[in-house]
Amino acid sequence: MSDRATDSVPPVEPSIGIGVVHLFCRAGPTSEPESITTAVRQAEAAGVQVVAVAVLGHKADIAFMALHSDLWRLRDLQTGLRRGGLDIVDSYVSLTEMSEYAAGLPEETKQARLYPQLPPEGKPAWCFYPMSKRRNPDQNWYELPFERRRELMYEHGASGRKFAGRVVQLITGSTGIDDYEWGVTLFCTHPDDLKEVVYTMRYDEASARYAEFGPFYTGMVAPIDAILER
């Protein structure tokens, strides 16, 4: 992989925040560990944050969560992984964002959401899932007044804050970009932390009444070399 993309075309960047892509891959007989590692190392050298995950279950073998301001850099990584013989069986595209309900947050918190540094240390248990808000006739989130929506999201956020120190969560926006409206990525110390935080927050009205969830992917964050060896 070279710098030809940035040499020949201008970068494609959000006006605020950065691009995020989750790539879920399956290894096969033509997969080349050295080429896969090279694709990751070249992306990192170009400033891409790459989180490699060994996926449990049948949905994929390995996942890559990649973050960069220029979407071309994310596409270069995707191309490199394909050339390394990985079959990308699923993906999700989103952007970091600030929620419309988070206007009063400290500037440090806002910057951490828009420009996160991943993966967090000491939290190898990982999961990702997309979600949207319902638009059913009697459960239409978007027909609620803003103040009511903000009240429900404050309640939802209070449940999440009970897990401070145990869970690092990144919610990225995908309305108009992918099939759902948000992508949720969780990093935890223990796998049962993943289960507990999702279970707890599903009782909030914002989730219990208005949330629709997509497929869950679960695995362990580790260096790319260790994942390919295992």
Side-chain angles (χ1 to χ4, degrees):
M1 192 159 47
S2 71
D3 291 333
R4 65 187 182 283
T6 53
D7 291 341
S8 60
V9 296
V12 178
E13 303 174 328
S15 58
I16 184 170
I18 56 178
V20 184
V21 65
H22 291 72
L23 300 171
F24 302 96
C25 307
R26 185 167 289 126
T30 62
S31 299
E32 300 175 357
E34 184 175 343
S35 297
I36 295 167
T37 301
T38 297
V40 171
R41 298 288 181 248
Q42 289 184 341
E44 291 174 333
V48 179
Q49 294 184 62
V50 183
V51 179
V53 180
V55 178
L56 285 170
H58 75 285
K59 297 173 186 173
D61 296 320
I62 184 171
F64 299 90
M65 178 184 183
L67 305 90
H68 196 274
S69 58
D70 183 5
L71 301 190
W72 276 113
R73 292 296 190 182
L74 302 180
R75 186 61 173 81
D76 287 343
L77 172 62
Q78 179 177 323
T79 300
L81 296 174
R82 290 290 298 271
R83 288 175 176 167
L86 288 178
D87 180 17
I88 300 174
V89 295
D90 199 1
S91 65
Y92 204 79
V93 180
S94 57
L95 305 173
T96 61
E97 66 173 16
M98 276 302 304
S99 168
E100 61 184 320
Y101 314 109
L105 287 177
E107 188 61 29
E108 181 180 355
T109 302
K110 293 180 181 179
Q111 291 300 307
R113 294 187 181 185
L114 289 171
Y115 305 100
Q117 296 297 312
L118 298 175
E121 186 176 354
K123 290 182 169 51
W126 179 96
C127 83
F128 169 81
Y129 60 93
M131 64 167 293
S132 294
K133 294 297 189 185
R134 289 177 179 146
R135 293 178 174 83
N136 298 338
D138 60 342
Q139 295 170 297
N140 192 328
W141 176 260
Y142 295 98
E143 288 184 341
L144 295 176
F146 174 79
E147 291 301 325
R148 179 56 179 155
R149 285 185 279 121
R150 183 169 63 178
E151 178 184 338
L152 291 173
M153 291 309 297
Y154 279 178
E155 175 194 42
H156 197 54
S159 294
R161 285 190 291 275
K162 297 175 183 177
F163 294 87
R166 292 175 58 190
V167 179
V168 173
Q169 172 183 265
L170 180 65
I171 299 176
T172 51
S174 49
T175 301
I177 298 174
D178 215 315
D179 294 341
Y180 289 79
E181 295 172 330
W182 294 277
V184 181
T185 308
L186 302 176
F187 298 85
C188 301
T189 304
H190 307 289
D192 46 319
D193 293 331
L194 299 171
K195 184 168 67 73
E196 186 176 348
V197 66
V198 174
Y199 178 81
T200 299
M201 298 184 75
R202 284 193 176 190
Y203 279 94
D204 299 332
E205 187 175 350
S207 286
R209 183 168 175 80
Y210 294 105
E212 296 282 1
F213 296 89
F216 277 66
Y217 287 89
T218 303
M220 298 78 70
V221 176
I224 183 60
D225 295 341
I227 293 175
L228 293 173
E229 182 179 351
R230 296 289 288 268

